[in-house]
Amino acid sequence: MSNHLSQKFEEIVGTGNVLASEVDRHNYAYDAAVLPPQLPALAVRPETPEALGRVVKTCNELGLPLTVRGSGTNLSGGTIPSEGGVVVLTGALNKIIEINEADMYAVVQTGVVTAKFAAEVAKRGLFYPPDPGSQAVSTMGGNVAENAGGLRGLKYGVTKDYVMGMSFYDVDGELVKTGSRTVKCVTGMNLHGLMVGSEGTLGVFNEIILKLVPPPKASKAMMAIFDDLGKASETVAAIIAAKIVPATLEYMDDFTIKTVEDFAHAGLPTDAKALLLIEVDGHPAQVEDEAAEVEAICKRVGATRIQVAKDAVERNKVWEARRAALSALARVRPTTVLEDATVPRSKIPAMVGALEKIAEKYKLTIGTFGHAGDGNLHPTILTDKRDHAEFTRVEAAIDEIFDVALSLGGTLSGEHGIGMAKSKYMVKEVGQGSIMYAKRLKAALDPKNILNPGKITGA
């Protein structure tokens, strides 16, 4: 059967682009989520849009589950394939087709790496704000599939706010076009809106049209240092209550600070209980006013000291340290469980307090960092899944983290998606009616359930 499948797909993508060895199958059996791997039958790497469409059509005709994979950085199991299914690799579909400076948009294939795209846009004097933590390796297709966020989400929004349109393949291999290169477009249904965040369950992306914006003229970054976790979280709420919207407003607890400093040597204050990394941007005069106001709020609520970056080198060093948080924490124990439960910004103090109690209750090490300005925290549980007793406590802690977030009016995921990891919690947030509606929608668009089955709404 495996040889027959290999030959079938080799006719479409070429001999060197069908990966069916035992090693290849294991390579693509997992992603960044802490979930059991599932072995696909094979992986295919189409090099043209036409080949991509034919792969989708063939999978549907044969009833083969299909999972699209960019860089595999998914944290919720969204790119773990179905057992015996097909993994479609997008690495060869990596062209930036157009960057239009006059009309401020770009068109990309799905395998374009996020950071490389943002850098090319910057060379043209424009700005693509979404900046997920995995941007150095994550792909644009994956960003759209998961509706990825990032450090700048507070002010600039997330991926969905920049998708103007796209083309994608339906299960029959037909190319569907939606949206436009124009600022306004109300032609037909908003199908691209439906596709963003659909995690590969409704169609296979081909090209994506993305909005670009002018870069800010000035910025100022600062680090506010606290001797109390509660004061740091209250400062977040106070800044937002003052109607100031920083470009970034990030939080790190004491365990994370020490771990990151040991890893990155960025000069973080290891005696601090918490810190906020804050950046305001915009017109130079506005930046100076808002920076001064933010400093005053931090001091009033209880910051012990504030360090303002003197230049771009100092600024970049601090932000690189923040982006290294997950990598640093992952060195501590064999297993890292990174969550992204999100609450209304005014509830950050309550959520931070709850995380402290949960860590103590279940006797777990939890380092917390994240995008506090938009309520999106990343409690990171450091454990060893081989220790069954400890991992049972981890699972109970995760249940409680989600229950607390929902009780505060929050959501299961701010940016990582639902995938397989969180599908069992969906009914708690959206109710059975929403789940059944989504299942009926998928059944209509994907009658054989080949497109990334088991994700979001479960089996």
Side-chain angles (χ1 to χ4, degrees):
M1 181 63 177
S2 179
N3 288 337
H4 171 72
L5 279 181
S6 294
Q7 291 169 7
K8 188 85 172 173
F9 286 106
E10 282 172 2
E11 293 171 5
I12 300 172
V13 300
T15 305
N17 289 319
V18 175
L19 309 172
S21 73
E22 196 72 9
V23 172
D24 288 326
R25 293 171 65 213
H26 279 279
N27 279 343
Y28 301 117
Y30 62 94
D31 60 14
V34 184
L35 292 171
Q38 296 187 167
L39 281 178
L42 47 76
V44 299
R45 184 170 50 215
E47 295 182 334
T48 66
E50 294 74 23
L52 177 62
R54 289 179 63 195
V55 166
V56 177
K57 182 178 181 179
T58 301
C59 286
N60 191 49
E61 289 173 346
L62 298 176
L64 289 170
L66 177 158
T67 297
V68 179
R69 182 185 179 100
S71 297
T73 57
N74 190 284
L75 287 157
S76 58
T79 45
I80 294 178
S82 296
E83 198 79 30
V86 175
V87 174
V88 179
L89 306 173
T90 62
L93 299 168
N94 57 7
K95 294 183 178 65
I96 298 174
I97 295 167
E98 180 184 6
I99 297 177
N100 190 303
E101 297 172 47
D103 292 321
M104 294 197 296
Y105 71 80
V107 183
V108 300
Q109 290 184 316
T110 56
V112 171
V113 172
T114 312
K116 289 182 180 178
F117 170 64
E120 287 301 316
V121 167
K123 289 177 185 177
R124 312 291 184 90
L126 292 169
F127 185 35
Y128 179 72
D131 58 339
S134 57
Q135 64 177 347
V137 290
S138 69
T139 62
M140 299 304 298
N143 291 354
V144 174
E146 298 296 326
N147 191 21
L151 277 65
R152 301 189 190 108
L154 169 59
K155 181 173 183 177
Y156 289 101
V158 296
T159 302
K160 70 177 181 181
D161 300 305
Y162 296 87
V163 177
M164 299 169 67
M166 68 169 65
S167 62
F168 63 90
Y169 289 102
D170 68 10
V171 290
D172 295 314
E174 292 291 331
L175 191 63
V176 180
K177 296 181 179 180
T178 170
S180 171
R181 289 164 167 77
T182 59
V183 175
K184 293 180 179 179
C185 175
V186 292
T187 303
M189 294 183 180
N190 182 16
L191 298 180
H192 52 288
L194 179 65
M195 289 293 138
V196 176
S198 63
E199 301 190 20
T201 62
L202 301 177
V204 175
F205 305 154
N206 175 46
E207 294 179 1
I208 305 161
I209 307 169
L210 296 159
K211 178 177 74 173
L212 307 176
V213 297
K217 288 184 169 62
S219 65
K220 180 172 282 193
M222 66 187 76
M223 179 165 58
I225 300 157
F226 296 84
D227 58 10
D228 180 82
L229 289 173
K231 290 177 182 176
S233 59
E234 288 164 15
T235 300
V236 173
I239 291 170
I240 301 302
K243 307 297 187 295
I244 299 170
V245 183
T248 48
L249 177 46
E250 297 289 304
Y251 169 88
M252 294 172 70
D253 69 4
D254 54 345
F255 182 82
T256 306
I257 294 166
K258 292 182 179 72
T259 306
V260 171
E261 180 57 24
D262 181 59
F263 175 71
H265 308 293
L268 299 182
T270 54
D271 59 334
K273 286 293 289 181
L275 61 81
L276 296 178
L277 302 173
I278 310 164
E279 182 164 300
V280 293
D281 68 8
H283 188 278
Q286 176 192 8
V287 167
E288 290 302 319
D289 289 347
E290 290 190 346
E293 194 169 352
V294 167
E295 277 195 67
I297 292 169
C298 291
K299 290 175 182 175
R300 186 178 75 242
V301 180
T304 57
R305 61 187 188 275
I306 297 167
Q307 297 176 7
V308 179
K310 299 181 181 66
D311 52 36
V313 173
E314 199 169 295
R315 168 193 177 271
N316 291 339
K317 191 173 183 180
V318 171
W319 286 118
E320 285 167 11
R322 161 59 187 87
R323 290 190 183 280
L326 178 56
S327 300
L329 290 168
R331 298 164 67 234
V332 177
R333 297 288 304 279
T335 306
T336 305
V337 182
L338 176 69
E339 290 301 344
D340 76 323
T342 302
V343 296
R345 294 173 290 199
S346 61
K347 304 297 184 184
I348 283 286
M351 191 69 207
V352 168
L355 290 171
E356 278 194 287
K357 292 176 182 176
I358 289 169
E360 184 178 347
K361 176 180 177 180
Y362 293 101
K363 298 179 174 58
L364 297 171
T365 300
I366 302 180
T368 300
F369 65 98
H371 323 304
D374 56 27
N376 185 191
L377 291 176
H378 292 313
T380 306
I381 306 174
L382 307 176
T383 181
D384 186 344
K385 66 180 179 181
R386 296 168 298 184
D387 183 335
H388 299 297
E390 182 176 80
F391 207 72
T392 297
R393 299 200 307 274
V394 169
E395 292 173 330
I398 292 170
D399 289 347
E400 193 163 328
I401 287 170
F402 288 139
D403 284 343
V404 170
L406 294 177
S407 74
L408 293 172
T411 183
L412 298 171
S413 178
E415 59 188 7
H416 294 169
I418 298 300
M420 297 166 65
K422 301 177 187 176
S423 60
K424 67 178 181 179
Y425 303 105
M426 281 282 285
V427 69
K428 289 186 176 183
E429 179 171 348
V430 302
Q432 193 63 32
S434 295
I435 291 172
M436 294 311 298
Y437 187 91
K439 286 188 172 184
R440 290 195 298 272
L441 176 65
K442 179 165 173 59
L445 296 175
D446 180 16
K448 295 183 181 180
N449 194 28
I450 69 154
L451 296 174
N452 215 14
K455 309 310 191 294
I456 305 179
T457 58

